[in-house]
Amino acid sequence: DIEVLCGDAALLGGDASGALTLYRSAAQVRWTAALSERIAAAETRLGHEDAAEAELTAYLAQHPREGALAAILGRAAATRGDWRRAASLLGHAAQLADGARDPRLIADLAEAQLHLVDGTRALANARRAYALQRASPRAARVLAAVLEASGTHANEAAILLAKARALEQPALALR
């Protein structure tokens, strides 16, 4: 615990290399998901994105029920345009208990499925994400994109896109 705290202080102080050394030492005693994320953060600060992803992937391989790490890796794959990997990881995270109720995760999965031209699944998941949180601009935007891609719900897509834009606008201050 002391090594983790010292690593946190080092990372906050800008010493990512020192933090990484401390985190790796702590991981030899007890490797947790939170520690894996810290190691990945230190690697990322050092510019080692591949090592950061490898750290999270290794932890997920040994602890497949860590949905949060699967979601992080899935979103990273989506950022790179690796939609097949993104859909696989996000789908895995969505099947776990916490993921099934996460509208952002389900919307991200729907987007990946849309890019893979899996319209049926994308629509089902986009509708599910929107049903979970109708006030989510992300869920509304993804559902609009899926509906627009289907070519049969242009009016509903336009309404949802307008709603997403309105939700993204900061509330007006009352004077």
Side-chain angles (χ1 to χ4, degrees):
D1 289 341
I2 291 171
E3 285 178 316
V4 172
L5 290 173
C6 289
D8 290 348
L11 193 60
L12 288 171
D15 182 10
S17 181
L20 186 57
T21 300
L22 290 160
Y23 290 152
R24 292 232 182 262
S25 177
Q28 291 179 6
V29 176
R30 187 178 64 220
W31 193 29
T32 65
L35 185 52
S36 184
E37 288 183 68
R38 284 174 164 97
I39 291 170
E43 291 283 15
T44 299
R45 290 239 180 114
L46 291 168
H48 307 150
E49 285 80 14
D50 290 344
E53 187 166 342
E55 170 67 27
L56 297 175
T57 300
Y59 191 87
L60 183 62
Q62 290 188 23
H63 303 90
R65 306 233 13 112
E66 286 293 337
L69 291 186
I72 289 168
L73 288 166
R75 289 179 180 119
T79 299
R80 291 191 312 274
D82 186 351
W83 297 109
R84 187 161 313 288
R85 180 165 166 78
S88 175
L89 287 161
L90 294 168
H92 172 71
Q95 290 175 348
L96 300 174
D98 291 342
R101 296 181 305 273
D102 183 342
R104 179 177 168 230
L105 174 64
I106 305 301
D108 291 346
L109 173 59
E111 182 182 29
Q113 291 166 331
L114 177 62
H115 282 278
L116 292 173
V117 194
D118 188 352
T120 303
R121 287 188 179 142
L123 181 59
N125 282 315
R127 286 198 185 280
R128 190 169 108 198
Y130 185 72
L132 285 168
Q133 190 174 22
R134 293 185 182 279
S136 165
R138 173 85 176 123
R141 188 173 293 283
V142 170
L143 180 54
V146 172
L147 290 170
E148 188 175 321
S150 75
T152 58
H153 303 285
N155 192 36
E156 186 181 356
I159 292 167
L160 283 165
L161 192 55
K163 179 180 180 176
R165 287 184 184 134
L167 288 169
E168 291 169 343
Q169 296 300 315
L172 295 175
L174 298 176
R175 295 179 194 234

